[in-house]
Amino acid sequence: MIINHPLLGPRDAAEFVYLGDASLIDRPDWQAEDAQEQFYAYGYLRDNPAGKMQELWYHEQGDRSWLVVTRDTITHEITQVELARDVARERGRDK
Amino acid sequence: MSRIEGGLIDRSQTFRFTFNGKPMQGHAGDTLASALIANGQKLVGRSFKYHRPRGIFTAGSEEPNALVELRGGAHQEPNTRATVTELFDGLSAKSQNHRGPLEYDLMAMTDFAAPFLSAGFYYKTFMWPKAFWEKVYEPAIRASAGLGRLSMQEDPDIYDKGFLHCDLLVIGAGPAGLQAALTAGRAGARVILADEDFLPGGRLNAETLEVDGMAGHAWAAQAVAELSAMGNVRMMTRTTVYGAYDHGVYGALERCTDHLASSDGKPRQILWRLYSKRAVLAAGATERPIAFGNNDRPGVMMAGAVRSYVNRFGAAPGKRIAVFTNNDDGWRTAKDLHDNGLEVAAVIDSRDRSPLLDIPGARYIRGAGVRDTAGRKGISRITLTDDQMVDIDCMAVSGGWNPNVHLTCHQRGRPRWRDDLCAFVPGGTLPAGMVVAGAANGALTLAAALAEGAAQAEAQLKDLGITPAAATLPRAEDEPGEAAAFWHVKESAKRAWVDLQNDVTVKDIKLANQEGFRSVELLKRYTTMGMATDQGKTSNIAGLAILAEQAGKTIPEVGTTIFRPPYTPVPIGALGGRARGRDFRPYRLTPSHEWAKANGATFVEVGNWLRAQWYARPGEKGWRDSVDREVEMTRGSVGICDVTTLGKIDVQGRDAAAFLNKVYANGFAKLAVGKVRYGLMLREDGIAYDDGTTARLSENHYVMTTTTANAVLVFRRLEFARQCLWPNMDVHLISTTDGWAQFAVAGPNARNLLRKVVDEGFDLSNEAFPFMACGEVRVCGGTPARLFRISFSGELAYEIAVPARYGNSMMGVLMEAGKEYDAVPYGTEALGVMRIEKGHAAGNELNGQTTAHNLGMGRMVSQTKECIGNVLSQRPEMIRDDAIKLMGFKPVDPAKKLIAGSHFIASGNKATMANDEGWMTSVAYSPSLGHSIGLGFIKSGDTRKGEIVRAVSPVHGVEMDVEICSAHFIDPEGERLRV
């Protein structure tokens, strides 16, 4: 597979380490009433979509960027690659 | 000899070779198969299941029969297809799968047992008794299974891997591929043209067809010359593109030296990863047989292959040949044979039609078939459906051509049936960027192949924004190619083979259908049709057709099995490349490696690292002598250990403190400048993950250490936390594990030793630089260094770090300065003994299943801040009072040796799983205490000090009484650390 790195251009997937669903960015509030339930869902529950999925890839053999890659799990077509930091900010990660 | 005039072989070069030890001769440009045919060798092997005599069946990579062992000694290579083996001088080949000589195979008796060896024989027969499965059946089946033999020696050849990029990858250098490559090459695109053959041209080399008024092979040679002269085209012969992967990536195997007597130190094969923007698949087509009784005798061959041997190799597979066809193309074989002066005894066309061509001297039988053959080790007679008999020595069979759609299926492509061709053509969603041209796309005539090659390349170029040069197509004709659906001769009473490689007959397919294996995927697995080296290239469609017939369905209703990579076999050696033996994974050497080597160290692999395990001295009888001495001398005076392998991560930024406070479970917000703190990391699920120390060198500058094993993983995780969880923090990370050489200096004389090394003006006194202090210093007259007063051994200890390039000399300097204190270097074993004596957890205890609560550090996990893992660490099951706790253990009989992995059973209980209370994680002989000691987890351990339990190791058959005690065997109050 080829991942079109937003800063470095097309790179072979072998340079990356895969983590999984980009929902891992959405870490729950530790002070919420139901923090344990939320963290349980965050840690253990995943959607398994047939189709577009946002996932986290780490450019370990490169610039160490974490990327959010939008990939079709059926065709492996990659339609969007973003810096995870930008996505996290857009999703309102505060600190 | 069966050599005839003509062909593309170089008769000026004669190669000597042997087959089963018999000397033979061939020429440059021969394959082993063509040379065997030229030498009149018809019988070349025995079949897989029935040990039937078999001959050469095809002239290409689809060959099911002619598998041989090549070369000898460590270079021996089994299951090599003679049809794609290029002949060289000195080649030695042997036939396979027989006991005794090839002509008198002792295993041929299995053929007489054939009525019992139907599909599913193994599943049905070797069912009972169960006790026989492993002891009787498996050894017996294994002894008779398989074809070639491995050398059982290490492969002496070198294999390499390579990477190439192109605009357009053209797969196959037949007419369509050459025309596609010419179109793209002339337009200036970066082109790779790959072909599995050593002579590009595809069928042009095997036919008498003309292109642009010249012989087809001459036109191909001219095209190859033009392409080779282009700087933007890379022509790769002997290269099979075996797989289509995501995003335009293709796998290819180049056989660099297989055609030479010796690799001569060069890579034998190269596994290429081809990155293409677009691809044209021009893989051609494969001819398929017709099944009829005893159609597997040597001398029965594909008609197109017979034509190849005659036209390309000047080798005649027979002197009196019959052609059996269901299509127009078969007639060309008859014509080419006749034109080469060979006798065509008969042309049998399954279609009731008038003769397509005039073949003088040949009997023409229309609307008929062959129902049986005779001839013990080679065909000698055929019997037709009208009971006529014809004496022959070679039978050319043509059942039509199958487009080579394989690579179109490697992702989501699903072949589509075309009734007019009686064949599957590419269908469904092809791999992104791929188009198909020529015979592979169902364009089975020469003119159509050339036109489609050009058109598909042009379309791809336009897609890439490259303007094709104006060109006229080379002139060629559309040869007749009408075909009829005719798969097997129903009148055959004898076994009719569908898959020669796996000995699958029409009867087996019928049986599978009767027994309910009606899906094509089940048929394949039940009968093994289409498996092994040829992957059913010649057999699959006939098999499907017969299944469809039996099930009363059409072929498209039955469907086809899906092709997966590789197209043809790829040796494991090529997939491994250079990564084998010692080069499988490189060592990382510690900075003091040279010093350690020169001073008698025994090394041990720790992850990728090679670390000193102990330093033996003369007279020491075993490793224990050395390790005990290293511990005693360190605790008695001072010892030095290279601890560079621990991960080091530089953390800087205005929010560094806040960041560390989030990634460690214990508090880090208030660590003072010049201080070090122990830190525990949890996984988000609350399990203990890693531990280490972090030093605050200045306001916004920290240095974290991790365990050796987790150095890479912790760094990855910190980057995740920094970029994904807290993206607005001002914090920056860099791994400095390799940047700094770090040494532990431990023992009562550690300070005295360091005073001699650290430059004047730096106060090392206990008051000025107490336990858990850190600072930047200079050593040896100005060399920058970092000093940490931390201890893993439990002694007064420091770790001193210098830039890695000074590491080896620093080790020497420390040892020299330590001479007056009798300083010793110590290795990982002594390090381990001292940490067990001190009760420090390491990898055995932080095993991915244990929590801070288990480790006795539950109270360290802060509940008043946000940090990774603290929420889920408080799940009720994880903080039970009766959870396992890390404790010390000592044998009641001090002479006994504890065993790591022993399980704890309360005294008086039976040693059963239900009574299991925990396990021993680490053990060592403690030279300080004079007996064996251990660490381990046991239920409610913290309330059971002094209790005697049994440590049971069923694996060793050993059990003993042990006493639960504090994990801190040495200096439990930590006084030594603070002096």
Side-chain angles (χ1 to χ4, degrees), chain A residues 1-2 12 17 27 30 36 44 58 60 64-66 74 76 78 84-85 88-89 93-95, chain B residues 246-247 273 275 412 684-685 715-716 719-720 723-728 733 865-867 874-875:
Chain A
M1 293 211 311
I2 308 247
D12 193 297
V17 170
R27 191 170 183 273
W30 70 287
Q36 261 191 25
Y44 294 103
Y58 177 50
E60 188 154 80
R64 309 190 325 252
S65 287
W66 278 93
I74 296 172
H76 295 187
I78 291 174
R85 166 170 273 167
R89 283 173 176 156
R93 301 293 309 167
D94 49 354
K95 203 32 189 165
Chain B
D246 289 318
H247 307 156
R273 187 182 285 214
Y275 297 86
R412 306 190 66 223
E684 198 67 272
D685 62 3
F715 187 66
R716 184 186 300 168
E719 283 290 5
F720 175 76
Q723 296 177 41
C724 300
L725 301 182
W726 299 291
N728 295 322
L733 307 170
K865 65 164 185 175
E866 179 178 33
C867 70
Q874 298 306 302
R875 284 181 284 177

Side-chain angles (χ1 to χ4, degrees), chain B residues 951-966:
Chain B
V952 183
S953 177
V955 177
H956 299 87
V958 171
E959 73 162 84
M960 69 186 76
D961 287 340
V962 296
E963 183 190 331
I964 305 172
C965 59
S966 159

Side-chain angles (χ1 to χ4, degrees), chain A residues 2 10, chain B residues 163-171 180-194 227 230-236 248 273-280 457 460-462 464-468:
Chain A
I2 308 247
Chain B
F163 303 82
L164 291 171
H165 297 256
C166 62
D167 295 322
L168 187 70
L169 169 65
V170 181
I171 303 159
L182 284 170
T183 304
R186 286 169 184 161
R190 285 191 308 163
V191 178
I192 292 173
L193 173 59
L227 289 165
M230 292 183 192
N232 54 325
V233 176
R234 184 175 178 127
M235 178 84 219
M236 300 178 81
R273 187 182 285 214
L274 307 176
Y275 297 86
S276 69
K277 289 183 186 154
R278 294 288 185 279
V280 174
Q460 295 285 53
L461 293 175
K462 279 182 191 148
L464 293 172
I466 301 170
T467 314

Side-chain angles (χ1 to χ4, degrees), chain B residues 450-791:
Chain B
L450 291 165
E452 208 171 88
Q456 293 288 49
E458 276 180 25
Q460 295 285 53
L461 293 175
K462 279 182 191 148
D463 240 19
L464 293 172
I466 301 170
T467 314
T472 49
L473 272 179
R475 278 174 291 114
E477 301 221 339
D478 279 321
E479 62 277 18
E482 205 183 274
F486 185 83
W487 312 103
H488 71 117
V489 180
K490 296 187 183 69
E491 293 85 346
S492 298
K494 297 288 169 57
R495 278 176 297 169
W497 266 262
V498 177
D499 183 333
L500 292 166
Q501 185 156 88
N502 292 291
D503 271 343
V504 178
T505 63
V506 173
K507 197 181 117 209
D508 292 324
I509 296 169
K510 288 181 179 172
L511 185 68
N513 182 60
Q514 273 169 27
E515 295 184 352
F517 297 94
R518 281 165 202 162
S519 139
V520 53
E521 296 288 349
L522 290 178
L523 172 73
K524 172 176 176 170
R525 281 151 189 86
Y526 191 57
T527 62
T528 69
M529 186 186 80
M531 294 190 178
T533 60
D534 68 339
Q535 288 287 297
K537 288 190 178 66
T538 54
S539 64
N540 274 349
I541 301 299
L544 293 178
I546 294 162
L547 181 69
E549 195 179 279
Q550 291 295 311
K553 292 180 180 170
T554 62
I555 293 174
E557 279 170 349
V558 170
T560 176
T561 54
I562 295 308
F563 301 103
R564 289 180 292 252
Y567 177 64
T568 51
V570 177
I572 291 284
L575 292 168
R578 302 260 179 178
R580 57 190 248 208
R582 185 71 284 288
D583 296 330
F584 180 70
R585 191 174 69 175
Y587 282 139
R588 298 173 77 181
L589 301 181
T590 62
S592 65
H593 183 80
E594 289 306 314
W595 187 94
K597 213 163 74 178
N599 286 274
T602 295
F603 293 97
V604 61
E605 283 184 49
V606 182
N608 288 1
W609 292 95
L610 205 56
R611 295 187 74 178
Q613 196 170 11
W614 62 80
Y615 295 81
R617 282 189 180 173
E620 289 177 342
K621 290 195 184 71
W623 66 273
R624 263 283 307 283
D625 287 0
S626 310
V627 173
D628 289 358
R629 170 185 49 76
E630 287 170 17
V631 172
E632 281 165 3
M633 290 176 74
T634 299
R635 293 213 187 280
S637 179
V638 61
I640 296 158
C641 182
D642 189 328
V643 293
T644 304
T645 62
L646 289 145
K648 302 186 220 39
I649 300 169
D650 213 64
V651 184
Q652 298 197 40
R654 284 191 303 279
D655 295 319
F659 179 74
L660 290 169
N661 208 37
K662 289 193 192 294
V663 297
Y664 277 129
N666 51 321
F668 260 83
K670 293 185 184 117
L671 180 65
V673 172
K675 288 289 180 189
V676 187
R677 185 171 290 176
Y678 172 81
L680 177 68
M681 282 185 196
L682 305 182
R683 303 195 313 218
E684 198 67 272
D685 62 3
I687 297 285
Y689 179 56
D690 198 70
D691 68 347
T693 59
T694 289
R696 188 173 196 177
L697 293 178
S698 67
E699 182 63 24
N700 295 326
H701 185 188
Y702 293 77
V703 175
M704 172 189 285
T705 68
T706 73
T707 60
T708 300
N710 282 339
V712 171
L713 301 177
V714 168
F715 187 66
R716 184 186 300 168
R717 202 175 129 89
L718 295 192
E719 283 290 5
F720 175 76
R722 186 180 78 94
Q723 296 177 41
C724 300
L725 301 182
W726 299 291
N728 295 322
M729 277 191 164
D730 179 46
V731 58
H732 301 273
L733 307 170
I734 191 156
S735 167
T736 60
T737 304
D738 299 82
W740 293 85
Q742 196 149 318
F743 301 94
V745 181
N749 278 316
R751 183 185 294 121
N752 294 333
L753 189 157
L754 282 172
R755 276 197 170 121
K756 296 175 68 180
V757 175
V758 175
D759 290 356
E760 299 240 349
F762 194 84
D763 189 355
L764 281 179
S765 70
N766 196 34
E767 294 70 34
F769 199 76
F771 180 56
M772 294 309 249
C774 69
E776 290 177 293
V777 300
R778 291 190 176 266
V779 296
C780 307
T783 301
R786 290 169 175 174
L787 191 63
F788 311 89
R789 190 164 160 195
I790 52 179
S791 175

